[in-house]
Every structure is written in C-alpha cells, then in structure tokens.
Amino acid sequence: MIRSPRVAVFADAAAVARSLARRVADAIRAKPTLVLGLPTGRTPLALYAELSRLHEAGEIDFSRVTTFNLDEFYGIPSDHPGSYRSFMRTHFFGRVNIDPARTHLLDGSAADAAAECERYERAIEDAGGIALQILGIGTNGHIGFNEPAPELEARTHRVTLKPETRRSNAALFGGREEDVPREALSMGMGTILQARAVVLLATGAPKAACVERVVNGPITTALPASFLQLHPDAVLMLDEPAAARLTPNS
Ligand code: F6R
C-alpha cells in the first residue's frame, strides 16, 4: 500500500536540514527557475542556514528562483522588524543571490485584505504554480496559518490567530505576546495542496504528538496537516524526537 505522507527520519535537526537543502539544490540545478513555497518559524532556520552555506560554497545559484511565503501578519508594514518579510530578509534572502523582485510575501499592510489575497493567488498561478512547498507545523497541527477549526478555507485568506500561535511568535515582537498582531494572511489548504510536491519539516519532541496524528489519524479540520494524507507527493522530514511516537511501520 502506498502511504501518504511518506516519512523520513534523521538523527537530528541538522541532518534534516542538510538532506532537504541537498534536495532543493538538486531541484534548482535541474530547473534554475524553480518556484518554492517557504515557511518561517524556528524549524526552517537550520535549512536557511544550510542553503546559505551551499550558496556561499558556489553550489546554488538562486538568481532565477521564485519564492512564495506561506503567510504574513496582518496590520503591520512589511518592513516592521516582526514581519515575516523581515524574518526572511534576515535569515535567508539577505544571505543569498535571490532577486528581491522574485520573493513574494503577502502584504500585511494592504488596506483591502481580500484583494491582497486574490492578488497572491493570481501571482502563484502566473508563476506556474509552486513546484516544492516546504512547511513547518504548529503543535496544534496548523500549517501556514490554517488553524484547527470546524471549517478550513481553500484559498489565501485573512485569519484570526489562536492565542498559542501568538504566544509562539512573541520572540519576533521583543517577547511581548500582546504586541503580536491578532490577524494574519495565509495561503489556504487548497493553495498548499496544489503544490506539486510538499515537504513538512518537524523537529523536536513537542511536535511528536501531532506528527503521530498526521501519519496515523483521520483527516480532520481539527488537525489541518492531516490533509497532507491526500497529497500524492508529500513527505514528513523528522528528527528522532519528532518521530518518537511513530512505530517503524506507521
Ligand atoms: C510560518 C508557518 C507556521 C509554522 C509553525 C511552526 O510561516 O507557516 O505554520 O511553520 O507555526 O513554527 P515553528 O517552526 O516555530 O515551530
């Protein structure tokens, strides 16, 4: 039986990052105009460091690569130090030779959020769709800012953030949870599932419980990442602590 998502377990977070960075490098070598979907958060930091290292070593040319980030806070300008635009500049875009015009993020200062979400969907379509979407996962099973809820949105949309999600982003706002915006704009589940390949990164013991449910549980809007079971080319790349609740055959 072909199971989705596939599961790949590595000794530690650094090994996960090295393996995915190699995959990204190979994909860019095969197609220099690759379209990547990217997450922010703590988990992908090791990946961005490794990709930057490979670029410095002359092994990856990002000059023709296009990127789309999953989400952005709503209600702050893109140059706000807590914005995901700023995060990406600090940890990745500012360290490689990517063309800033090819790095797409939702505009959290757009007056008309619905129009901004539509613009983003069109931009992804105009770029030919996302070839490889990289995801992190919240401990509540969210991907992008698609939070557990009775219903999920298919397309890019405006969301109200859960208290636990605002708490886990407090570091970007000087540790002050009350300064984390209450809303965000996020790709929808359909936007994510339309990527031709999806890689979900999860490292550390706090992710083990939701990883187990993503692999073995039912598909449910209470665990948005469970929808990856419907994707024909999705893989979970895990370190051992995040994989601790999986049995070898699960
Ligand atoms: C951020 C995003 C979120 C994070 C998730 C995990 O762009 O899409 O879904 O991936 O909150 O965050 P970390 O990696 O900080 O545990």
Side-chain angles (χ1 to χ4, degrees):
M1 184 174 65
I2 299 170
R3 291 286 300 269
S4 181
R6 303 186 309 281
V7 174
V9 184
F10 299 81
D12 54 30
V16 174
R18 280 195 302 273
S19 175
L20 181 53
R22 262 198 310 276
R23 177 172 172 179
V24 170
D26 289 347
I28 294 173
R29 248 175 252 126
K31 187 168 191 209
T33 58
L34 192 76
V35 180
L36 281 172
L38 298 175
T40 55
R42 279 173 291 276
T43 313
L45 288 174
L47 170 70
Y48 294 145
E50 181 64 11
L51 288 172
S52 305
R53 193 190 67 74
L54 289 176
H55 168 68
E56 275 159 32
E59 292 186 42
I60 313 186
D61 173 11
F62 285 97
S63 62
R64 296 170 66 202
V65 169
T66 293
T67 63
F68 287 91
N69 267 78
L70 280 160
D71 41 22
E72 177 61 285
F73 294 110
Y74 189 61
I76 56 170
S78 52
D79 61 355
H80 186 289
S83 73
Y84 283 166
R85 166 67 78 183
S86 299
F87 175 100
M88 291 306 293
R89 194 181 308 118
T90 303
H91 295 290
F92 187 36
F93 298 154
R95 300 174 66 184
V96 297
N97 68 333
I98 200 157
D99 175 357
R102 291 181 196 264
T103 63
H104 301 269
L105 278 97
L106 284 147
D107 177 3
S109 65
D112 184 341
E116 172 59 7
C117 293
E118 257 175 56
R119 180 198 67 79
Y120 207 63
E121 287 283 332
R122 254 197 324 274
I124 293 172
E125 211 177 295
D126 291 348
I130 292 170
L132 175 61
Q133 175 68 59
I134 300 167
L135 301 171
I137 183 170
T139 48
N140 66 4
H142 72 224
I143 50 178
F145 277 140
N146 296 280
E147 299 275 26
E151 294 174 342
L152 299 176
E153 297 263 353
R155 315 280 18 140
T156 302
H157 60 289
R158 181 174 179 172
V159 285
T160 301
L161 298 173
K162 296 258 188 207
E164 64 261 33
T165 301
R166 294 182 63 224
R167 202 170 309 127
S168 69
N169 278 279
L172 295 173
F173 294 84
R176 287 180 305 277
E177 194 184 323
E178 63 278 14
D179 288 352
V180 179
R182 291 174 189 281
E183 293 184 300
L185 305 178
S186 175
M187 284 187 196
M189 293 303 298
T191 325
I192 292 170
L193 292 171
Q194 262 167 13
R196 292 189 281 287
V198 178
V199 174
L200 185 144
L201 292 173
T203 54
K207 302 287 168 75
C210 67
V211 162
E212 195 279 329
R213 290 170 63 212
V214 170
V215 174
N216 295 321
I219 296 168
T220 166
T221 63
L223 189 80
S226 64
F227 279 77
L228 295 180
Q229 292 179 25
L230 297 173
H231 196 283
D233 184 1
V235 60
L236 307 189
M237 295 182 70
L238 311 172
D239 66 356
E240 283 178 0
R245 295 202 187 191
L246 299 176
T247 58
N249 296 323
S250 70

